[in-house]
């Protein structure tokens, strides 16, 4: 497997990879409202252009075809920069090899951060990244949670925690 920065020439295949990942994660993806589909996809043209400029995002390639993508960006935390990994997309056909691709992508991001003199890389610990996190000696600080507002709160992916939360009217139910 080869790991490299992606280019504009990769945009179409990266979008196709994202679609394949989303359909694999949720068999009902195509039936979701358009807004929810767009909310789950990470490879819109503006997003890919942004991550291309970040210089911390990488593609995993096998036989010349992208099979994995890690999107990461530098974020100023007020007192220091960090690299924030926002997505790790692995083609479903990778199967068990997906963990190796995730590890290679994470290692590329960590090396990129070090080369840029950024000494913290933050990422959600997802199942494909568990082995990579252990191999890299990362520190587990807690669980990563996303709160969606509006109608996406009803259809967003992931395990929904118990509780009423905020309604569209802005009050706790």
């Amino acid at each position: 497997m080869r790991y490299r920065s992606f280019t504009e020439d990769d945009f179409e295949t990266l979008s196709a990879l994202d679609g394949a990942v989303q359909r694999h994660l949720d068999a009902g993806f195509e039936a979701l409202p358009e807004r929810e589909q767009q909310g789950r996809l990470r490879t819109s043209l503006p997003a890919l252009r942004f991550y291309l400029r970040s210089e911390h995002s990488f593609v995993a390639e096998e036989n010349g075809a992208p099979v994995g993508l890690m999107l990461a960006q530098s974020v100023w935390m007020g007192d220091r920069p960090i690299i924030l990994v926002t997505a790790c997309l692995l083609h479903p056909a990778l199967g068990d090899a997906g963990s190796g691709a995730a590890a290679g992508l994470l290692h590329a991001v960590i090396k990129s951060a070090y080369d840029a003199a950024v000494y913290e890389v933050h990422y959600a610990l997802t199942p494909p990244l568990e082995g990579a996190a252990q191999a890299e000696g990362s520190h587990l600080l807690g669980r990563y949670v996303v709160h969606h507002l509006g109608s996406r709160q009803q259809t967003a992916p992931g395990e929904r925690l118990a509780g009423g939360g905020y309604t569209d009217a802005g009050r706790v139910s």
Side-chain angles (χ1 to χ4, degrees):
M1 193 136 338
R2 177 177 172 231
Y3 304 94
R4 63 173 176 80
S5 298
F6 61 86
T7 68
E8 287 189 20
D9 293 339
D10 296 311
F11 285 5
E12 188 176 324
T13 55
L14 295 178
S15 292
L17 169 66
D18 193 5
V21 168
Q22 298 310 319
R23 286 186 293 281
H24 177 74
L25 292 174
D26 185 346
F29 178 76
E30 300 294 338
L32 291 170
E34 180 71 19
R35 185 173 180 174
E36 180 60 29
Q37 287 182 29
Q38 293 305 313
R40 292 185 187 193
L41 293 169
R42 304 306 307 264
T43 54
S44 67
L45 185 57
L48 287 173
R49 284 189 175 138
F50 171 80
Y51 286 108
L52 176 65
R53 290 189 311 273
S54 81
E55 298 183 2
H56 297 293
S57 297
F58 295 91
V59 64
E61 203 174 57
E62 192 169 64
N63 300 322
V67 294
L69 175 65
M70 187 165 280
L71 300 173
Q73 66 186 37
S74 180
V75 176
W76 181 250
M77 298 301 289
D79 61 349
R80 68 187 172 283
I82 67 165
I83 301 301
L84 175 64
V85 175
T86 59
C88 180
L89 304 172
L90 303 168
H91 197 286
L94 284 174
D96 292 338
S99 294
L105 287 165
L106 181 61
H107 188 74
V109 170
I110 290 171
K111 182 180 182 327
S112 170
Y114 183 82
D115 290 347
V118 177
Y119 300 110
E120 287 185 31
V121 176
H122 293 231
Y123 57 97
L125 187 61
T126 59
L129 287 171
E130 285 183 22
Q134 288 180 4
E136 295 289 348
S138 297
H139 294 255
L140 182 62
L141 297 176
R143 293 169 59 190
Y144 188 80
V145 177
V146 176
H147 184 88
H148 295 276
L149 301 174
S151 62
R152 283 212 61 218
Q153 182 73 347
Q154 303 305 313
T155 57
E159 173 190 347
R160 184 161 184 189
L161 300 176
Y166 287 95
T167 66
D168 287 338
R171 58 181 158 67
V172 176
S173 56

